[in-house]
Amino acid sequence: MKKKSFVSIADLSKETIIRLMKKTEFFEENPNQKLLDGKICATLFFEPSTRTRLSFETAVNRLGGKVIGFSDVATTSSSKGETLKDTIKMVSNYADLIIMRHYLDGAACYASEVTDVPIINAGDGANQHPSQTVLDIYSIYKTQGRLENLTITMVGDLKYGRTVHSLIEGMSHFNPRFYFIAPEELKLPDIYKQWLEEHKIPFEECIEFSEEIINQSDILYMTRVQRERFTDLIEYEKVKNVYILKNSMLEKSKPNLRILHPLPRVNEIDNDVDDNPKAYYFDQARNGVYARQAIICDVLGIN
Ligand code: CP
């Protein structure tokens, strides 16, 4: 049987996404399931992470599997010059599944081509973050009661934001309308806009973060301006605090509005928003454990 990897949200049909939603719901209700008995999962994090790594590791533990791996590449033989290909081939000798975050766009796809062990992309450069998308879509479904016909406003770093790129593609099956709010320097890349046009998905780009747009939105997806993606830190300084969501900006928002953020946040959501019932970002992160249990089982063909 051909092994199955999970490297891009674009590989998932609408039916697969709906199936993953049902599995995620199952694991939220029944988190402790010994479905990975005897399986070893490697978490290879070539870039920093709190939520993704720890929620994947929690997911494996809740499923009764075992985890090996690293979170600091300086402690590995990559620091001695070992290539990604060789690292993946070595870890394939030890693990049944590899969960990998890497700073290069396309690294997960490349890894999946050099091994027979399934690869899960835990974020590759500014390209994709498909497991985040599964938990984001689940969070949207849980808070809205549906996925179809929603207005989703994405704010901040739309250029380098891999969670944004994946979520646009993941939600495209459900007839969304998008607002993209970003400064000129961080606008959504043309390739994604062309893709939206080809799929006849309506979107509007704005520079101003206005209450008029917030008030039309069902989901407000805030993102961090990612310092680590800038080669010129003067450019980063210019845009780092460009949009800050404050509680007062939500006064006339729709009752069903929920604020999502993949986290970590820096300054883009004021702390005074945290106690607003429309703030959902911490619950969203918790959904990551259940979504990742669903993804792991799906990739390993465990029902
Ligand atoms: N959302 C997310 O990817 O967070 P981490 O970088 O902490 O994993």
Side-chain angles (χ1 to χ4, degrees):
M1 195 179 87
K2 194 176 174 309
K3 59 110 187 183
K4 187 169 171 182
S5 284
F6 182 83
V7 297
S8 169
I9 205 77
D11 297 336
L12 271 52
S13 64
K14 181 175 183 176
E15 291 67 34
T16 303
I17 292 174
I18 290 169
R19 182 160 47 82
L20 285 171
M21 294 301 104
K22 289 190 178 140
K23 276 195 178 182
T24 302
E25 197 166 43
F26 170 79
F27 285 119
E28 179 168 14
E29 286 158 13
N30 310 278
N32 295 312
Q33 300 284 327
K34 301 300 169 208
L35 297 170
L36 287 189
D37 196 25
K39 296 262 189 264
I40 295 178
C41 302
T43 53
L44 312 186
F45 277 67
F46 294 84
E47 258 195 346
S49 166
T50 296
R51 277 146 292 274
T52 310
R53 185 174 66 82
L54 294 179
S55 61
F56 263 121
E57 293 187 358
T58 304
V60 174
N61 282 308
R62 289 214 181 277
L63 291 167
K66 291 201 165 37
V67 178
I68 61 169
F70 56 80
S71 56
D72 178 2
V73 77
T75 64
T76 75
S77 289
S78 294
S79 65
K80 303 176 201 163
E82 186 162 54
T83 62
L84 178 60
K85 178 181 174 184
D86 288 4
T87 303
I88 294 297
K89 283 192 149 320
M90 284 308 100
V91 177
S92 300
N93 290 330
Y94 315 136
D96 301 293
L97 172 70
I98 296 174
I99 298 159
M100 185 180 95
R101 170 170 288 187
H102 202 280
Y103 48 85
L104 288 178
D105 294 25
C109 182
Y110 174 73
S112 74
E113 286 166 3
V114 300
T115 179
D116 289 332
V117 171
I119 301 284
I120 294 181
N121 183 2
D124 62 325
N127 183 35
Q128 283 264 332
H129 196 345
S131 68
Q132 177 74 40
T133 301
V134 175
L135 79 91
D136 288 346
I137 297 179
Y138 185 67
S139 299
I140 293 170
Y141 176 67
K142 263 191 86 174
T143 60
Q144 305 299 313
R146 70 185 208 275
L147 290 172
E148 302 281 348
N149 305 320
L150 295 169
T151 298
I152 300 172
T153 297
M154 298 178 148
V155 183
D157 182 352
L158 309 188
K159 180 177 178 184
Y160 299 113
R162 58 192 174 199
T163 67
V164 166
H165 304 158
S166 294
L167 186 56
I168 288 171
E169 291 184 348
M171 283 304 292
S172 69
H173 300 288
F174 304 102
N175 197 33
R177 181 165 67 116
F178 288 110
Y179 285 109
F180 298 128
I181 302 179
E184 203 58 49
E185 298 85 340
L186 296 175
K187 279 173 72 176
L188 189 70
D190 286 343
I191 188 168
Y192 295 101
K193 287 187 264 182
Q194 282 160 10
W195 188 89
L196 286 164
E197 277 160 2
E198 279 163 24
H199 289 79
K200 300 198 171 15
I201 296 169
F203 69 91
E204 215 173 292
E205 291 185 284
C206 315
I207 290 179
E208 193 193 344
F209 186 22
S210 72
E211 286 173 42
E212 193 190 334
I213 292 180
I214 293 175
N215 296 346
Q216 295 176 51
S217 305
D218 301 302
I219 294 292
L220 186 56
Y221 195 88
M222 300 297 297
T223 65
R224 170 178 70 97
V225 176
Q226 301 176 79
R227 186 174 182 275
E228 65 273 25
R229 307 272 176 239
F230 284 77
T231 45
D232 181 350
L233 285 185
I234 296 169
E235 287 299 308
Y236 168 73
E237 290 297 324
K238 272 199 256 169
V239 291
K240 67 177 184 186
N241 288 327
V242 65
Y243 304 124
I244 299 178
L245 178 66
K246 297 178 190 306
N247 206 28
S248 58
M249 295 163 74
L250 299 168
E251 272 167 19
K252 295 197 176 128
S253 60
K254 291 167 76 169
N256 63 306
L257 173 80
R258 288 297 177 274
I259 302 147
L260 269 54
H261 190 314
L263 304 176
R265 97 176 121 177
V266 184
N267 290 323
E268 59 280 0
I269 301 180
D270 242 20
N271 282 313
D272 71 356
V273 179
D274 293 357
D275 294 328
N276 189 315
K278 295 177 181 175
Y280 192 73
Y281 27 94
F282 296 121
D283 304 278
Q284 178 189 357
R286 190 180 55 242
N287 292 337
V289 174
Y290 318 127
R292 288 173 172 127
Q293 286 180 283
I295 292 165
I296 290 167
C297 288
D298 200 66
V299 165
L300 292 175
I302 297 167
N303 290 313

